[in-house]
Amino acid sequence: MIGITGLFKGYIATATPSTSTGTGISPGSIMPQIWNMAMTLLQTIMNGVGGLFQSIFGGIGKGLDIMFMGWGNSLSTYGIWGPAMTIISLVGALLVGYILFDVVGIERDILGGEEDL
C-alpha cells in the first residue's frame, strides 16, 4: 500500500510556494508583466518620437542640400559672378536698411511715438 505522501508526491512538490528572486517580487507575481508592458509602451513611444525627429531634421537637411546644390550648380554657369552678386545683394540690402534707419529717421518716429504714449 502506498502512503498518502507517496500518492501525492508530485503534487506536493509543485504546490510549494516559490521563493523570492531577490528583487522583492516573486516570479509568479503580476508586477514583472506590468513592468514589461510599461517598458514596451515607453520603447514604442521613444521609437515614434525618434522617427519624428529624424523625419523633421532629415527634411530640413535635404532642403538645405537641394538649395546649396542649386546654388553651387549655378556657379558653374556664372563663374565668379555668382558669389559676387550674392555679396553685392547683401551689401545693397544693408545699405538700404542703413538709409531707412539713419537718413530717413524711422527710429526717431518710433521713439517719438513711444514717448507720446
Side-chain angles (χ1 to χ4, degrees):
M1 174 146 209
I2 301 174
I4 193 136
T5 56
L7 186 62
F8 296 108
K9 187 174 186 181
Y11 295 109
I12 293 173
T14 59
T16 57
S18 60
T19 60
S20 175
T21 59
T23 60
I25 300 172
S26 64
S29 176
I30 195 169
M31 287 305 292
Q33 295 172 0
I34 292 174
W35 180 256
N36 289 337
M37 285 174 38
M39 291 307 293
T40 303
L41 177 66
L42 183 64
Q43 185 69 31
T44 303
I45 291 171
M46 293 305 292
N47 286 341
V49 170
L52 181 64
F53 276 115
Q54 183 178 6
S55 175
I56 289 171
F57 291 118
I60 291 171
K62 286 179 184 176
L64 289 173
D65 181 39
I66 290 169
M67 181 181 70
F68 282 116
M69 286 297 288
W71 186 68
N73 288 334
S74 72
L75 293 180
S76 65
T77 305
Y78 297 110
I80 192 65
W81 288 107
M85 292 311 285
T86 302
I87 293 171
I88 291 170
S89 298
L90 289 173
V91 169
L94 290 172
L95 183 64
V96 168
Y98 175 76
I99 290 171
L100 285 176
F101 278 108
D102 194 42
V103 177
V104 176
I106 290 177
E107 77 278 355
R108 285 180 286 210
D109 292 337
I110 294 172
L111 291 173
E114 289 177 355
E115 290 173 359
D116 291 342
L117 291 176

